[in-house]
Amino acid sequence: PYLALLEKNYNPLEHQFIVTDIGAKTKIDERFLKVFKIKEVSTFKLSDVKIVSSILKTDEFDKIMIHSLYLNYLLLALIFNKKVLSKATLMLWGGSDARKFKVGEENKKYVLLAFFYEQLRKTVYKNVNTIASIVPGDYESVKKTYKTRARYQLCKYAVPTSDNLFNKNDYIREDNEKKMYLQVGHSGSPDGDVLESLEILSKFKDCNLEVFSPLAYGNDEYIAKVIERGNKLFGDHFHPIVELMNGEAFSKFIMEMDGLVLNTKIQQGLGNIYSYCYAEKKVFLSENGFLWQYFNNEGYDFNSIEKISEQNFNELQSVNKVQIKTNYEASKKFFDDKELGKHPCPGCFHLSLQNFPH
């Protein structure tokens, strides 16, 4: 979807792209070159210091858009060229983007490195021209923490699925019993509080409930804990998903689900939320995070994770058709290329392409 949006909304002759190869997955560079049919795509590995000189040269451009701040070399390049910073729009993607960077207990040996990394980030956040985010709460968090002078820009999310993949007639689940299939969480990130979600849902472990948890990426230690706890609580009814899915596979997976339980308190899993709404599925969010308020303001109507403890299984399964219709209508714009083209495209300067789910 990122490539399709770039091709449709950005003239390749007027833009230059720096793509980092995170060693991730498949032919990222070839796909990019094929789409744009030009050679103005600079590709580096994370360890390649040439990225600094390339970014320093971008001060000749009118606008510079940066997808997150996870590269040390990117931070250095931005600090050494204030002209770049004065033209740059930095896109926040939740998680550590919107708060101070800290290392976990398992990485204590990197505490000093993390300290210097955070000092570099602080300088960039404070002096960058514009900060873009999907959820305004992320910007407010950065403003409070780093005293940034940056202005705010709304940024829309490119959902890595396609509307024609959500055809209910193509996905009819055949159950001998009236089971409920729930996706719980979207990754192995501790911020997703999947463990807490499993505990909340464990009251239904003897009901017809099947729990599916995407754990293809995240914190390895946390993923292991989730799998261990999920198996203990739900036995054969817990299904950890440890392989990444492409857009088509994920769309099919969603159509086989009855709902999504996403317990994150920060900006995470938006592609999952939009897709479930568009597929007319039930969505549970925590009332205690940025996303609850954000989606309320956008006209969505979600179910509260905190209120699951008060429900019986029939209430958990029940579907409010008005609510489903409301969320479907609100989500349609995220599958509209024209609507997305009006906003800064995710990563149209510094682009990270990975398989879904994000």
Side-chain angles (χ1 to χ4, degrees):
Y2 290 124
L3 294 181
L5 280 173
L6 291 174
E7 185 179 23
K8 192 165 187 176
N9 297 296
Y10 292 85
N11 184 344
L13 299 179
E14 297 177 355
H15 297 80
Q16 180 172 331
F17 298 85
I18 295 180
V19 185
T20 58
D21 177 6
I22 1 187
K25 316 290 172 187
T26 53
K27 310 174 179 178
I28 292 175
D29 312 340
E30 292 181 18
R31 288 173 58 203
F32 227 96
L33 289 171
K34 184 177 179 181
V35 168
F36 284 90
K37 304 178 181 67
I38 56 172
K39 295 182 180 178
E40 282 80 6
V41 180
S42 305
T43 309
F44 306 90
K45 292 188 177 178
L46 293 185
S47 60
D48 197 331
V49 294
K50 288 188 296 183
I51 195 171
V52 176
S53 61
S54 290
I55 293 174
L56 290 176
K57 294 175 184 176
T58 60
D59 60 11
E60 64 192 68
F61 292 96
D62 295 329
K63 293 182 180 180
I64 301 165
M65 308 194 80
I66 304 166
H67 183 117
S68 191
L69 281 180
Y70 59 86
L71 289 177
N72 294 335
Y73 292 124
L74 173 60
L75 286 167
L76 287 171
L78 291 173
I79 287 172
F80 286 128
N81 194 329
K82 291 184 178 179
K83 193 173 179 181
V84 171
L85 265 182
S86 69
K87 298 179 179 182
T89 293
L90 172 62
M91 298 176 187
L92 303 180
W93 300 102
S96 59
D97 274 356
R99 58 188 175 175
K100 287 187 176 182
F101 181 82
K102 296 180 181 179
V103 295
E105 290 293 322
E106 69 278 8
N107 292 313
K108 279 188 174 181
K109 60 182 178 181
Y110 298 114
V111 168
L112 187 59
L113 184 62
F115 171 78
F116 286 113
Y117 174 73
E118 179 60 17
Q119 297 311 302
L120 295 177
R121 286 208 328 165
K122 184 187 298 184
T123 302
V124 172
Y125 279 139
K126 193 171 183 178
N127 297 294
V128 70
N129 180 278
T130 303
I131 289 178
S133 68
I134 308 165
V135 179
D138 284 345
Y139 170 74
E140 294 300 328
S141 178
V142 168
K143 188 176 180 180
K144 180 179 179 181
T145 303
Y146 297 100
K147 307 296 186 291
T148 181
R149 296 186 285 265
R151 68 186 185 91
Y152 176 68
Q153 170 69 56
L154 176 68
C155 183
K156 293 297 182 181
Y157 193 91
V159 181
T161 50
S162 172
D163 56 355
N164 61 12
L165 296 177
F166 292 120
N167 187 337
K168 286 188 175 182
N169 295 325
D170 292 340
Y171 305 110
I172 300 176
R173 196 178 74 220
E174 296 181 2
D175 284 340
N176 295 324
E177 306 172 78
K178 291 184 178 179
K179 291 185 178 180
M180 186 178 194
Y181 285 31
L182 284 180
Q183 176 184 326
V184 179
H186 82 294
S187 75
S189 167
D191 291 317
D193 280 338
V194 179
L195 283 174
E196 182 183 45
S197 298
L198 294 177
E199 297 296 338
I200 291 172
L201 290 167
S202 64
K203 62 181 286 187
F204 304 115
K205 62 184 179 181
D206 295 322
C207 302
N208 286 328
L209 176 65
E210 300 291 328
V211 175
F212 298 79
S213 289
L215 299 167
Y217 62 93
N219 180 289
D220 290 342
E221 184 178 341
Y222 188 76
I223 289 172
K225 288 181 180 178
V226 169
I227 293 175
E228 180 182 7
R229 189 59 180 162
N231 286 332
K232 185 172 183 178
L233 288 174
F234 298 97
D236 293 339
H237 302 290
F238 177 71
H239 312 275
I241 302 169
V242 295
E243 297 291 334
L244 285 167
M245 291 180 276
N246 60 30
E248 183 175 358
F250 187 64
S251 298
K252 182 177 180 181
F253 170 79
I254 290 175
M255 293 309 298
E256 293 175 345
M257 296 294 109
D258 294 301
L260 168 69
V261 177
L262 197 62
N263 199 18
T264 179
K265 311 302 188 297
I266 61 175
Q267 190 264 94
Q268 281 185 335
L270 292 183
N272 287 253
I273 297 171
Y274 294 136
S275 296
Y276 269 83
C277 290
Y278 194 79
E280 300 181 77
K281 304 291 183 176
K282 195 169 185 177
V283 176
F284 296 84
L285 291 185
S286 170
E287 295 184 48
N288 301 319
F290 286 159
L291 294 184
W292 182 267
Q293 187 60 51
Y294 166 72
F295 279 105
N296 272 342
N297 293 341
E298 291 291 306
Y300 291 80
D301 181 15
F302 289 149
N303 302 278
S304 167
I305 288 176
E306 285 74 20
K307 292 180 181 178
I308 291 177
S309 61
E310 305 169 8
Q311 297 178 338
N312 58 41
F313 191 60
N314 286 335
E315 291 170 328
L316 184 75
Q317 283 186 300
S318 66
V319 175
N320 182 326
K321 292 184 179 180
V322 174
Q323 181 188 60
I324 295 295
K325 176 75 171 175
T326 296
N327 294 337
Y328 168 74
E329 292 295 333
S331 68
K332 284 199 298 187
K333 61 186 176 182
F334 288 93
F335 295 85
D336 183 345
D337 287 349
K338 291 181 180 179
E339 178 69 24
L340 285 169
K342 297 176 185 176
H343 298 271
C345 181
C348 50
F349 171 70
H350 175 68
L351 182 63
S352 165
L353 290 174
Q354 298 183 41
N355 287 337
F356 196 85
H358 254 295

